[in-house]
Amino acid sequence: MTQQGVRWSADQVLALAPDAASRKAGSKLGAAGPWSEAGSCEEGTVWGLCKGSGSKPYQTIVDIADQAGLAYKCSCPSRKFPCKHALGLLLLWAAEDDTVPTVAQPPDWAEQWIAGRRRRAEDKRPADGGSSPAAADPEAARRRAERRAERVTAGATELEQRLTDLLRGGLASAEQTGYGLWEETAARMVDAQAPGLAGRVRELGAIPGSGPGWPVRLLEECALLHLLDQGWLRRDRFPEGLAATVRSRIGLPASADGPPVRDRWLVLAQYDTADAKLTTRRIWLHGADSGRTALLLSYGAAGRAPELALPVGLALEAELSAYPGAGGHRAALGERFAAPAPLSMRPPGMTATQAAARYGEALREDPWLESVPVTLGRVVPVPDGASWQLADADGELALPLSPAARSRPGLWRLVALSGGAPVTVFGECGHRGFTPLTAWPEHEGEAVPLC
């Protein structure tokens, strides 16, 4: 399992940063100056002492060979994962010089952490014949599911009446009503245990008065919300796949019940989104042998990044199990057989026309889908007035970049990487445009994270 001979690139390290501020601060600590007693061991652990503002240096240790993803500990008070000291230490290690030598024995404080992780890993192994409480009482679980379904049905019925009142009174009235009514409605959906409906109601409430054309956008969102309501109320008539998608969009929990697929999963992209309560991390993977694209979701409390972190451009050998519905991309990470390691491949590319067609086909299975993962081959970023688009190098069509992509610094990294030449770009293609997440030069070169 040793990965000590595999050094990551600086881009792969910085792609793990939870935000731009951490990326900048970590880069400053990627030099030997503030570090002392830095070292590494063959098992894949890196450690060092980083001088801070206090009298005692921060003890930083990172397990780069952890099969569940990056693991680290630092004595600094930061709540970010990983912190700037962990990023700086990894950058120092990635430089492949003598600053972080390989030694036989870690210092005592590092050895204690390593030993503790080994003990916890042993404790997590399931005992033979063990069973979970839920599995021990399936009848109780069935009754809980029925009670929740009844509450969701009551909430969906109430929401249908609210939408009917809105349309009967005219969309123009929504601007005078204010956001309070929508927030109250969203709270009612939370009480009905339908968080998916609550989230869509909040998004709908933010549309009135949001700029030119807002009545059209409001009508579109009302139609999608009505469709989801009706999907829930008539779910018994649907094929199982579509019914599972409706349950997922409503916000009901589900387990990854697909058969485990073992593969070498290339990490295509990793990025975080956050609201007032939760930080969501999305990690896109591509199976080298299966050709499947999978999405891992992990969560952290507000202001705290999720713990699962995988370096873009490396691959891990592992099993993934798919969740039901929701486009078939979301998966759960199962048993890992090796730590992330380099893999000289990239997913096959497609044209802009094929990408748009793929999104259209996916909407037939999931009308509420925001985007689909696609890899564009041989495209060139070109300006389009005040915006940008990705144009087929061998064709006449192009995909506009999404508003989110135009506001990210990754756009200029993409433009610089291309320099007018074709590149391969992985990203998300949806009704708002294409959001590039990772790019590769046309012939050879490492993945360049853009988010």
Side-chain angles (χ1 to χ4, degrees):
M1 190 182 79
T2 177
Q3 296 292 319
Q4 192 57 35
V6 177
R7 301 282 176 140
W8 302 350
S9 68
D11 280 340
Q12 289 168 341
V13 172
L14 293 176
L16 299 172
D19 51 41
S22 298
R23 190 177 298 113
K24 182 177 180 181
S27 298
K28 292 181 179 180
L29 293 174
W35 293 95
S36 61
E37 299 184 27
S40 61
C41 65
E42 290 293 341
E43 286 73 21
T45 306
V46 185
W47 60 83
L49 301 177
C50 186
K51 181 175 176 55
S53 56
S55 57
K56 292 184 178 180
Y58 296 122
Q59 297 177 342
T60 307
I61 182 169
V62 183
D63 185 355
I64 57 171
D66 188 284
Q67 294 181 6
L70 183 72
Y72 92 100
K73 181 181 180 182
C74 184
S75 58
C76 75
S78 175
R79 299 180 65 218
K80 296 181 179 181
F81 186 95
C83 69
K84 63 181 181 180
H85 304 101
L87 292 170
L89 179 61
L90 286 175
L91 288 172
L92 199 66
W93 165 78
E96 296 193 75
D97 53 25
D98 295 332
T99 310
V100 185
T102 301
V103 299
Q105 182 66 34
D108 290 343
W109 59 270
E111 179 60 37
Q112 291 175 4
W113 183 77
I114 296 172
R117 284 185 58 75
R118 290 171 183 160
R119 287 194 301 269
R120 288 190 294 273
E122 290 293 331
D123 293 341
K124 287 182 180 180
R125 292 183 179 177
D128 293 339
S131 60
S132 65
D137 193 355
E139 180 61 24
R142 184 189 62 80
R143 290 195 298 268
R144 287 194 297 271
E146 288 181 350
R147 288 195 296 269
R148 180 167 187 175
E150 291 172 358
R151 285 191 285 267
V152 173
T153 297
T157 303
E158 179 182 346
L159 182 55
E160 281 292 277
Q161 186 59 52
R162 299 265 178 130
L163 292 175
T164 300
D165 293 342
L166 170 65
L167 296 177
R168 183 180 292 118
L171 295 180
S173 64
E175 192 170 15
Q176 284 74 42
T177 302
Y179 188 75
L181 176 62
W182 298 109
E183 183 58 37
E184 177 192 346
T185 304
R188 295 282 293 169
M189 296 305 104
V190 172
D191 292 340
Q193 293 185 288
L197 290 179
R200 285 192 167 270
V201 167
R202 290 192 178 97
E203 292 177 4
L204 189 148
I207 295 176
S210 60
W214 70 261
V216 174
R217 296 194 299 275
L218 181 61
L219 183 60
E220 291 173 347
E221 290 301 319
C222 284
L224 286 172
L225 193 52
H226 168 68
L227 185 64
L228 184 55
D229 268 346
Q230 290 299 313
W232 171 260
L233 296 174
R234 305 183 184 192
R235 63 192 182 282
D236 294 338
R237 308 178 191 179
F238 292 168
E240 177 53 33
L242 183 56
T245 297
V246 170
R247 290 194 294 268
S248 172
R249 294 301 180 186
I250 289 287
L252 299 187
S255 300
D257 57 3
V261 177
R262 180 171 177 173
D263 206 337
R264 294 168 298 156
W265 298 97
L266 176 66
V267 184
L268 294 176
Q270 173 180 291
Y271 68 96
D272 295 349
T273 56
D275 56 28
K277 297 182 179 180
L278 197 67
T279 298
T280 303
R281 173 162 295 168
R282 290 170 171 82
I283 302 177
W284 284 108
L285 305 174
H286 176 78
D289 301 319
S290 65
R292 294 175 57 175
T293 301
L295 174 65
L296 301 181
L297 294 180
S298 57
Y299 304 94
R304 190 176 185 88
E307 291 191 1
L308 179 62
L310 297 173
V312 174
L314 297 186
L316 69 158
E317 186 175 355
E319 288 183 342
L320 264 61
S321 297
Y323 281 85
H329 290 296
R330 188 186 174 191
L333 184 59
E335 184 177 358
R336 279 76 70 184
F337 303 98
L343 183 64
S344 57
M345 69 156 292
R346 62 186 68 175
M350 64 179 63
T351 66
T353 301
Q354 291 169 331
R358 175 168 292 185
Y359 179 54
E361 293 168 359
L363 285 176
R364 291 187 303 191
E365 303 296 330
D366 183 355
W368 308 278
L369 192 63
E370 293 285 333
S371 60
V372 294
V374 297
T375 302
L376 299 176
R378 290 185 54 77
V379 291
V380 181
V382 294
D384 178 26
S387 183
W388 285 80
Q389 58 186 3
L390 292 176
D392 285 330
D394 304 316
E396 298 179 354
L397 298 180
L399 289 176
L401 295 191
S402 65
R406 297 197 297 267
S407 63
R408 292 175 178 173
L411 168 61
W412 304 112
R413 298 189 75 186
L414 175 59
V415 173
L417 177 69
S418 167
V423 290
T424 299
V425 184
F426 169 78
E428 297 169 347
C429 181
H431 64 277
R432 292 186 176 91
F434 185 86
T435 303
L437 301 175
T438 306
W440 297 261
E442 183 177 13
H443 298 297
E444 295 182 358
E446 297 179 342
V448 177
L450 305 174
C451 53

